């Protein structure tokens, strides 16, 4: 590299600001998830072709048989793509004073169809003493949803249990949302990658970028999500300061 | 910003290498296309819910009526997402010596379903004198497909005409693939944005990143795509050097 080229390269690098670094992270995440996304797309595309053809032949039984595959994969793709688009966009917060427990009940409600597919017990211990908090309810809901989907993916096939808890930490002027599961203890490798984009298993509900997005939302609220493993219980804990 | 912070920031910037810049470009493209992608996802998600519900009620006529909306939008989403994933991945070339004209015939064949939806005349003038060329046929096919989809989107509703031409430039040891349409002359604004990610109209076949991907593929072959407008004809011309 000549001196001029070197100088140009340094200058170009210096021009990359905070936003560019965020976009680079998003682009890298897209690259990491590319294989998984392409797999889902192939499933969706394949099922669409099969159904297209079945309609042509008026084979309605075949349409009906193939439909659940398409429907399920469309939903997976939607969640995957929305997560990465949300992460990339890094939406500005729209804060308002709200009842966190009520917001979380809405999120728990939205998990009904997941509960139909994967049997597990969902336990909520919501702190009645929690005051109204000034947050973006949509975003905190999305953060919590991703924490829950992560936990749901970990529970054993039999006797699965996911617990969500809210807690008012008055002394620190904070609140905590913790989500725990009774699955196998997270491996050190999993603990390391959980907040970075990674491939997920076909049958999983969480997306490979869900926890990275959740961490982004916690950070936007000046909070942080951490992971804890102790005998028989894995948990994710989001600690968020209460601001006016 | 303190001196230490400033130094840290410069150091961080310097660490951003070529790859990071590519990822930043991809992330930014994803951001630009986010609105369009979310729109398609909403359409797909909405149609999926309608059909889900119709199946529950055994209303097969409603299933059949809603199917084309879903099917069409799944295809749009697939093409959109594949283009951006391809751009992000920036696949290594798998070159082989091949008959370009034959490869392009394969691409033209794949446009049958588009031709069914949008009536236009597709004219191919393939230079029989073109020797075998050492290219990645899949990638050059994808580049050409995106050039064609761009042209198809431009043609008028009546009397639309798209022309694809190959040309052996022996003196320069190059070949050219040009694609032209008889639509309204490209506006200066369109000419400026064509190789950058941009939103496209709902009914369009091209994706907002298709020509950016096409340019990437041309560049990977050490070639370049340029845009030309003259009275009554718009054209995109890819000039690629012939290498051993």
């Amino acid at each position: 590299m000549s001196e001029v080229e070197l100088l140009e390269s340094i200058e170009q690098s210096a021009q990359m600001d905070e936003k560019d670094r965020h976009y680079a992270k998003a682009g890298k995440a897209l690259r990491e998830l590319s294989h998984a996304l392409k797999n889902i797309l192939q499933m969706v595309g394949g099922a669409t072709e099969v159904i297209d053809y079945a309609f042509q032949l008026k084979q309605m039984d075949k349409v009906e048989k193939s439909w659940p595959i398409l429907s399920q994969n469309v939903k997976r793709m939607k969640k995957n793509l929305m997560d990465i688009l949300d992460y990339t966009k890094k939406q500005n917060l729209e804060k308002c004073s709200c009842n966190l427990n009520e917001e979380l009940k809405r999120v728990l409600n939205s998990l009904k169809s997941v509960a139909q597919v994967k049997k597990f017990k969902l336990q909520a211990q919501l702190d009645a003493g929690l005051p109204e908090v000034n947050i973006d309810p949509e975003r905190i809901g999305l953060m919590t949803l991703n924490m829950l989907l992560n936990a749901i993916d970990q529970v054993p096939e039999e006797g699965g249990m996911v617990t969500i808890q809210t807690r008012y930490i008055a002394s620190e002027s904070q609140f905590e949302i913790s989500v725990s599961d009774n699955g196998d203890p997270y491996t050190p490798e999993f603990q390391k990658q959980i907040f970075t984009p990674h491939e997920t298993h076909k049958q999983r509900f969480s997306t490979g970028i869900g926890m990275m997005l959740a961490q982004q939302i916690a950070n936007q609220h000046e909070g942080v999500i951490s992971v804890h493993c102790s005998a028989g219980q894995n948990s994710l804990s989001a600690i968020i300061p209460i601001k006016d």
Side-chain angles (χ1 to χ4, degrees), chain A:
Chain A
M1 203 185 255
S2 75
E3 208 170 322
V4 173
E5 281 172 325
L6 189 67
L7 282 171
E8 271 175 6
S9 154
I10 291 172
E11 197 180 331
Q12 272 186 321
S13 298
Q15 282 165 2
M16 298 237 13
D17 63 3
E18 187 51 38
K19 232 177 181 165
D20 284 319
R21 275 196 289 276
H22 172 69
Y23 285 134
K25 239 173 133 178
K28 217 177 268 182
L30 189 63
R31 172 73 189 83
E32 291 293 327
L33 300 175
S34 164
H35 187 68
L37 284 170
K38 279 190 180 173
N39 273 347
I40 306 177
L41 266 186
Q42 292 303 350
M43 297 280 281
V44 168
T48 306
E49 272 178 39
V50 169
I51 295 176
D52 258 340
Y53 194 59
F55 265 123
Q56 278 175 36
L57 301 181
K58 305 269 175 217
Q59 293 176 336
M60 296 309 275
D61 53 329
K62 207 168 179 184
V63 170
E64 194 159 5
K65 209 174 139 195
S66 303
W67 173 251
I69 302 169
L70 179 61
S71 165
Q72 199 182 327
N73 279 290
V74 161
K75 279 167 200 156
R76 282 180 67 213
M77 183 167 57
K78 199 173 164 191
K79 174 78 178 121
N80 270 277
L81 196 52
M82 285 304 262
D83 274 359
I84 182 150
L85 290 175
D86 268 349
Y87 178 83
T88 306
K89 193 174 177 195
K90 203 182 180 179
Q91 276 180 275
N92 288 330
L93 299 184
E94 292 186 17
K95 285 189 177 186
C96 60
S97 178
C98 62
N99 183 323
L100 178 69
N101 291 337
E102 287 305 314
E103 291 301 330
L104 297 188
K105 281 179 194 162
R106 195 177 46 78
V107 174
L108 293 172
N109 241 336
S110 75
L111 286 172
K112 274 184 185 161
S113 68
V114 172
Q116 275 174 1
V117 178
K118 189 160 180 168
K119 307 282 176 226
F120 60 91
K121 204 175 159 191
L122 183 55
Q123 210 173 19
Q125 295 165 355
L126 306 178
D127 186 346
L130 192 71
E132 293 226 322
V133 288
N134 189 32
I135 53 167
D136 183 327
E138 283 290 331
R139 307 293 290 164
I140 290 291
L142 182 59
M143 176 192 86
T144 311
L145 176 65
N146 278 309
M147 292 165 74
L148 285 162
L149 292 174
N150 174 76
I152 291 165
D153 279 340
Q154 315 298 329
V155 298
E157 278 187 33
E158 299 280 326
M161 163 93 86
V162 170
T163 307
I164 179 168
Q165 216 169 348
T166 55
R167 191 161 64 96
Y168 176 36
I169 312 169
S171 60
E172 309 279 340
S173 194
Q174 294 172 332
F175 67 89
E176 181 190 25
I177 300 171
S178 74
V179 172
S180 53
D181 66 75
N182 65 343
D184 288 337
Y186 297 168
T187 61
E189 195 194 359
F190 182 76
Q191 290 187 46
K192 220 175 127 188
Q193 74 168 18
I194 189 167
F195 298 113
T196 61
H198 53 273
E199 274 199 36
T200 60
H201 186 272
K202 254 190 196 175
Q203 298 310 322
R204 303 225 150 167
F205 294 104
S206 62
T207 68
I209 197 174
M211 286 309 302
M212 186 169 162
L213 174 61
Q215 186 67 280
Q216 181 187 71
I217 296 169
N219 294 165
Q220 282 184 297
H221 285 84
E222 296 174 50
V224 69
I225 304 176
S226 53
V227 52
H228 307 277
C229 293
S230 61
Q233 183 146 306
N234 304 305
S235 70
L236 292 169
S237 153
I239 304 266
I240 314 268
I242 298 176
K243 305 257 173 183
D244 291 330

